[in-house]
Amino acid sequence: MKDKRVTINEIAAHAGVSRSTVSLILRGSGRISEPTRQRVQAAISELGYTYNRSAANLRTQSSQAIGLIINDLTNPFFTELTAAIEQTAERRGYFVYLVQSGEDPDHQHKLSLSMVEHGVAGLIICPATGSHPETFERLRTLGIPVCIAVRPWPDDRFDFAGPDNFRAAHMAVDALIEHGHRRIAFLGGERGNPSRDDRLAGYFGALQKHDIGFDETLVIESRPSRTSGIKDVAKVLALADPPSAALCYNDFVAISVMHGLRQHGLQPGQDFALIGFDGMPEAETSFPPLSTVFLDARRVGANAAHMLIGRIDEPDRPVSRSVIVPDLVLRQSHKAS
Amino acid sequence: MKDKRVTINEIAAHAGVSRSTVSLILRGSGRISEPTRQRVQAAISELGYTYNRSAANLRTQSSQAIGLIINDLTNPFFTELTAAIEQTAERRGYFVYLVQSGEDPDHQHKLSLSMVEHGVAGLIICPATGSHPETFERLRTLGIPVCIAVRPWPDDRFDFAGPDNFRAAHMAVDALIEHGHRRIAFLGGERGNPSRDDRLAGYFGALQKHDIGFDETLVIESRPSRTSGIKDVAKVLALADPPSAALCYNDFVAISVMHGLRQHGLQPGQDFALIGFDGMPEAETSFPPLSTVFLDARRVGANAAHMLIGRIDEPDRPVSRSVIVPDLVLRQSHKAS
DNA sequence: TCGTGTTGATAGAACGATCTACTAACTAGC
DNA sequence: GCTAGTTAGTAGATCGTTCTATCAACACGA
């Protein structure tokens, strides 16, 4: 039925010109006369020709594909990031190969190599916690453009696009302190995750600035999920001197902390102040509406895509970093006496 | 710095064998002796060779890429769908090209053609509302495997994977009626969207079954969003004889309806019964927890991917349809007198 | 009339792999 | 010693494009 796909050769034969001529026309060269151009166009639509971009790419050593490696698409922050990357890539003539590493460094390593085999023009990577240095080393020696996104990676020879986690956490804790809180918990996130380390540092910084002593029982570590906050908040509520407010590692944690608070008879945003992190869409429609640090995943994504494509176009440009200063979005959940 | 990428030819020269031999070894043929195999392997790691899969694909007329066209990644239903498709594709040795049509039929058309040019092995499409028949016609004449997902398309020569919207809505309305409701609204969604049409049909079916007359003022049309439900519910609440319950087009609508109810001094799940549609993760953590029809986007996605890959492997297999029967997940929001 | 451009089109080698067909060197059977 | 079969490896065409070099035809100026 489908036989073979019709190629440039059939078009050439059918239109009575050479293969080269057809190729030139396809690429919109002006060096071909109008009559022949029309003859070829006629042949194209008559035979139902479709361009084989991979063949062209093989010849020209180019590619319109960029690879995107994220941990988990299901996290709304990464969803927004991905959506933005796809959109700006598409607008600039690129397609994106999407893969999820599942926070597994080995898998991430294999995926990155596999993408290179598939001939991507460049790669955007959100490094998995515990990423192997060899992964990036290999990409560097291969000379393929890479943009690190969201989570910093200790190698300043790569472009980077991400939020300023330190400052974001600092702002949030500042706001809590201004509302009169002195005992402020930091809930959720796992040690070794660079984003969390930065957020924690911002949290400490703000406490220090206001001469509030550091109490390590107020920092709860846990793998963040849609339910993890329930246990996290229970732990600090059980303390002899419980906190009156908390900064959460992300909005998932914050929303589940709200449920946890209610289980203890406390109304979030009334009996306990809460600020989340990320600014994912559902923070706005939670009850009560969640105050949070808006990291603007879409902007991060757009920047990452632009930076990568910029480097693809111009491989030797100087390394650049785009660090976005987040916005503190105060809604209801941070209000409490 | 990066010169040229090292090819199979360099490896052959360096190991003192022919190009064909290297190729055989790369593909794990047993027809090559162990000593030469090792010599070649040594050359490979010494020169830092990376396989060029596109070149191989050109020769073998094959591809490990599948294209996925969805409307909007940002909708959690599609997020879950995409995540599942990516995962099962990856497990079966495929990568996915992700693009968003933005519910624009023209764009969808261009994208599908572009993916073909890029040489995808097959395509999973969630048809945009108002899709052009030519889009699918073209794909069919090109003979490229296509699986329609989520939203049905009136051409039974394509494989299909999606939820049973009719039955889902029917179940939900049944439950509402069992809880004693007689005036039940249907909120949100736009005319012309086949998913909505099926849901609406299920809604009517259930009413009819219980001899409840149809009141068109209880059906509110609107483009669904994270806030659209606020206005939708206001409209039916303003009626002389307002409803006591509602089935919502999706969970977005349902969650915003909750906010709308509160604005009118009503407690969702207490003064008004509410059932959503989709079963997106945040339905579980909403307040009160949202009762909803769980469409299992992950299963739909996994099925779609399996079906497509099955057809890629075996293009002439009979057309198949996988229709998933949703689960009614009753939490809190449907409870009301 | 001759050299010099310009225009429109082409032939044939690439790109990096695979595939088909073939061969040289052994082994085995009788 | 001869034929047949197996094993290990290779040469060269090929996939569908683009690129480099070249060419024929014609116009132009001196």
Side-chain angles (χ1 to χ4, degrees):
Chain A
M1 180 165 289
K2 42 171 313 212
D3 312 312
K4 304 185 96 23
R5 253 168 77 166
V6 18
T7 79
I8 212 177
N9 282 302
E10 276 92 274
I11 301 299
H14 194 266
V17 296
S18 81
R19 186 169 60 250
S20 318
T21 305
V22 179
S23 176
L24 284 171
I25 289 172
L26 285 174
R27 284 172 294 152
S29 163
R31 298 188 26 168
I32 304 295
S33 72
E34 191 52 24
T36 39
R37 207 192 60 77
Q38 287 186 1
R39 208 142 35 87
V40 169
Q41 284 294 0
I44 285 178
S45 53
E46 200 170 325
L47 300 187
Y49 167 74
T50 51
Y51 187 66
N52 185 332
R53 208 169 286 275
S54 338
N57 285 344
L58 173 59
R59 180 66 242 249
T60 59
Q61 307 280 60
S62 65
S63 160
Q64 294 79 233
I66 72 182
L68 170 60
I69 306 183
I70 58 173
N71 312 112
D72 172 22
L73 183 60
T74 277
N75 179 327
F77 180 85
F78 288 109
T79 307
E80 298 281 335
L81 183 89
T82 303
I85 288 175
E86 191 281 316
Q87 260 166 29
T88 88
E90 207 261 327
R91 256 181 237 137
R92 298 194 55 173
Y94 286 85
F95 273 170
V96 3
Y97 269 125
L98 169 69
V99 293
Q100 304 178 80
S101 68
E103 204 75 272
D104 173 353
D106 293 333
H107 195 205
Q108 175 180 259
H109 187 82
K110 285 195 204 103
L111 287 172
S112 69
L113 261 36
S114 193
M115 309 240 85
V116 176
E117 284 189 358
H118 277 268
V120 294
L123 231 31
I124 298 178
I125 306 184
C126 309
T129 307
S131 290
H132 308 316
E134 309 92 62
T135 304
F136 299 94
E137 211 39 63
R138 187 74 211 280
L139 294 172
R140 236 182 44 71
T141 60
L142 284 171
I144 132 151
V146 170
C147 178
I148 308 279
V150 182
R151 300 176 178 176
W153 177 254
D155 183 337
D156 52 13
R157 289 165 302 181
F158 290 115
D159 294 322
F160 173 80
D164 187 339
N165 281 303
F166 178 90
R167 216 157 137 187
H170 204 294
M171 287 162 66
V173 175
D174 272 348
L176 255 11
I177 293 173
E178 266 168 39
H179 274 69
H181 297 279
R182 305 284 296 176
R183 285 191 61 74
I184 301 169
F186 185 98
L187 304 178
E190 291 177 295
R191 197 184 302 256
N193 173 337
S195 294
R196 175 179 183 266
D197 292 346
D198 287 350
R199 293 174 194 184
L200 205 52
Y203 161 83
F204 285 141
L207 292 181
Q208 220 161 20
K209 183 180 131 200
H210 294 271
D211 286 321
I212 300 179
F214 156 55
D215 179 353
E216 64 174 333
T217 62
L218 291 180
V219 176
I220 304 296
E221 235 182 290
S222 72
R223 169 166 286 250
S225 76
R226 285 185 184 271
T227 55
S228 61
I230 297 179
K231 277 190 230 147
D232 299 345
V233 73
K235 283 187 193 157
V236 294
L237 253 24
L239 258 28
D241 185 10
S244 62
L247 174 62
C248 298
Y249 166 71
N250 68 17
D251 289 343
F252 277 165
V253 174
I255 289 176
S256 53
V257 164
M258 292 198 199
H259 286 269
L261 287 170
R262 276 189 283 260
Q263 288 179 8
H264 288 264
L266 297 172
Q267 283 307 315
Q270 202 167 309
D271 308 320
F272 195 98
L274 216 53
I275 295 186
F277 224 109
D278 277 2
M280 55 195 222
E282 64 188 89
E284 196 174 344
T285 55
S286 68
F287 181 76
L290 182 66
S291 299
T292 185
V293 195
F294 179 58
L295 260 34
D296 208 343
R298 294 200 84 94
R299 228 172 104 207
V300 172
N303 283 354
H306 280 304
M307 287 169 80
L308 181 66
I309 294 171
R311 178 157 305 280
I312 291 169
D313 293 342
E314 200 186 333
D316 296 324
R317 53 150 61 173
V319 173
S320 65
R321 297 176 60 80
S322 124
V323 176
I324 287 178
V325 179
D327 276 333
L328 186 58
V329 179
L330 294 176
R331 289 193 267 248
Q332 295 293 328
S333 68
H334 72 289
K335 297 184 183 163
S337 46
Chain B
M1 182 163 288
K2 43 172 315 213
D3 314 309
K4 304 185 92 33
R5 256 169 75 166
V6 19
T7 79
I8 211 177
N9 282 303
E10 276 93 275
I11 301 299
H14 194 265
V17 297
S18 81
R19 186 170 58 251
S20 317
T21 306
V22 179
S23 176
L24 285 170
I25 290 172
L26 285 174
R27 283 172 294 152
S29 162
R31 298 189 25 167
I32 304 296
S33 72
E34 191 53 24
T36 40
R37 208 192 59 76
Q38 286 186 2
R39 211 141 34 88
V40 170
Q41 284 294 0
I44 285 177
S45 52
E46 202 170 323
L47 300 188
Y49 167 74
T50 50
Y51 187 68
N52 185 333
R53 207 169 287 273
S54 339
N57 285 344
L58 173 58
R59 180 67 242 254
T60 59
Q61 306 279 60
S62 65
S63 160
Q64 294 78 234
I66 73 183
L68 170 61
I69 306 183
I70 58 174
N71 312 112
D72 171 21
L73 183 60
T74 277
N75 179 327
F77 180 85
F78 288 109
T79 308
E80 297 281 335
L81 183 89
T82 303
I85 289 175
E86 191 281 316
Q87 260 167 30
T88 88
E90 208 260 329
R91 256 182 236 135
R92 299 194 55 172
Y94 287 84
F95 273 169
V96 3
Y97 268 125
L98 168 71
V99 293
Q100 304 179 79
S101 68
E103 205 76 272
D104 173 353
D106 293 333
H107 195 206
Q108 174 179 260
H109 187 81
K110 284 196 204 103
L111 287 172
S112 69
L113 261 36
S114 193
M115 310 240 85
V116 176
E117 284 189 358
H118 277 268
V120 294
L123 230 33
I124 298 178
I125 307 184
C126 309
T129 307
S131 290
H132 308 315
E134 310 92 60
T135 304
F136 298 94
E137 212 39 65
R138 187 74 211 280
L139 294 171
R140 237 182 43 70
T141 60
L142 284 171
I144 132 149
V146 169
C147 177
I148 309 278
V150 182
R151 300 176 178 175
W153 176 254
D155 183 338
D156 52 12
R157 289 166 302 182
F158 290 114
D159 294 322
F160 172 80
D164 187 339
N165 282 302
F166 178 90
R167 218 158 133 187
H170 204 293
M171 287 162 66
V173 175
D174 272 347
L176 255 11
I177 294 173
E178 265 167 40
H179 273 70
H181 297 280
R182 305 283 297 175
R183 286 193 59 75
I184 301 169
F186 184 98
L187 305 179
E190 292 178 294
R191 198 184 301 257
N193 172 337
S195 295
R196 176 180 183 266
D197 292 346
D198 288 350
R199 293 175 195 183
L200 205 53
Y203 161 83
F204 285 141
L207 293 181
Q208 218 161 20
K209 184 179 130 200
H210 294 272
D211 287 320
I212 300 179
F214 156 55
D215 178 353
E216 63 174 333
T217 62
L218 292 180
V219 176
I220 305 297
E221 235 183 292
S222 72
R223 168 165 287 249
S225 76
R226 285 184 184 272
T227 55
S228 61
I230 297 178
K231 276 190 231 148
D232 298 346
V233 73
K235 284 186 193 158
V236 293
L237 252 24
L239 257 30
D241 185 9
S244 62
L247 174 62
C248 299
Y249 167 71
N250 67 17
D251 290 343
F252 276 165
V253 174
I255 289 176
S256 53
V257 164
M258 291 198 201
H259 286 270
L261 288 170
R262 276 189 282 261
Q263 288 179 9
H264 288 264
L266 297 173
Q267 284 307 313
Q270 203 168 307
D271 308 319
F272 195 97
L274 215 53
I275 294 186
F277 224 109
D278 276 2
M280 56 195 219
E282 63 188 271
E284 196 174 343
T285 55
S286 68
F287 181 77
L290 181 66
S291 299
T292 184
V293 195
F294 179 59
L295 260 34
D296 208 343
R298 295 200 83 94
R299 228 171 105 208
V300 172
N303 283 354
H306 281 304
M307 286 168 81
L308 181 67
I309 295 172
R311 178 156 305 280
I312 291 169
D313 293 342
E314 201 185 335
D316 296 325
R317 53 150 61 174
V319 173
S320 65
R321 297 175 59 81
S322 125
V323 177
I324 287 179
V325 179
D327 276 332
L328 186 58
V329 179
L330 294 177
R331 289 193 268 248
Q332 296 293 329
S333 68
H334 71 288
K335 297 184 184 164
S337 46

